Amino acid sequence: MVWGNNWTAALRCYSCGATFTVEEVAFDKLNGLSMVVPCASCGARPVVTAGGGERSRLHQLVELNEEPEETAAGVRVVVRLKPEWYERLGARACRGSQAEWCLKHCAPRGGGEYVLECDDEELAALAALADASRCPEAIRAMREAYLAAIGAA
């Protein structure tokens, strides 16, 4: 383990139960992360108490990944999924698959839209899932997001 690298932490909100990520966290800052970061979904802020009758309410650290020193050569794509697309894809995602992981880690936004950032491999897994889910509108949206990301749109 290299102590100087940055990390990506996945936290589960104590209030709404949503999972959200915090990127580029130095190792020495990980310990206090769940005590200061608000939830990306509902905005709930951790509550830290010093004894007494009230309990502290903190987000739970559920996953920790080391960020590579250099970014991979692949492209990062931001995909916006309509709620019905998200539900159709989620219903077909195999447990433990790359596509399921992407769907679990996307952020819900206003109006029910889901936003996720993924690399080209993850996008390909989602597109294959969309094809299997008979969701051509999602495939078209993913293609447009990919072309925009590489500057070919």
Side-chain angles (χ1 to χ4, degrees):
M1 177 184 304
V2 180
W3 300 98
N5 286 357
N6 284 332
W7 297 78
T8 297
L11 300 168
R12 180 169 292 118
C13 178
Y14 72 87
S15 179
C16 70
T19 301
F20 61 98
T21 59
V22 180
E23 297 179 351
E24 297 185 19
V25 181
F27 187 81
D28 61 340
K29 304 293 184 205
L30 288 171
N31 191 32
L33 191 65
S34 65
M35 294 187 283
V36 295
V37 176
C39 174
S41 257
C42 71
R45 294 187 173 276
V47 177
V48 181
T49 60
E54 189 178 354
R55 286 184 52 202
S56 294
R57 294 183 304 262
L58 307 176
H59 304 308
Q60 179 184 14
L61 180 64
V62 292
E63 189 174 342
L64 186 61
N65 293 307
E66 184 177 8
E67 292 181 0
E69 288 290 327
E70 294 180 16
T71 307
V75 66
R76 299 299 294 173
V77 180
V78 176
V79 179
R80 288 167 171 42
L81 297 175
K82 294 182 179 177
E84 61 271 14
W85 299 350
Y86 177 82
E87 290 174 19
R88 288 166 69 184
L89 296 176
R92 294 284 303 210
C94 293
R95 188 167 172 86
S97 69
Q98 190 173 27
E100 182 202 37
W101 187 91
C102 288
L103 291 169
K104 278 185 176 179
H105 290 86
C106 69
R109 295 289 185 236
E113 182 180 64
Y114 291 85
V115 179
L116 63 114
E117 184 178 333
C118 55
D119 64 21
D120 45 1
E121 285 182 23
E122 294 164 340
L123 185 65
L126 286 170
L129 184 60
D131 187 39
S133 301
R134 292 182 177 83
C135 195
E137 311 89 6
I139 297 172
R140 196 167 19 261
M142 290 177 202
R143 180 179 182 274
E144 289 172 9
Y146 178 75
L147 290 175
I150 63 171

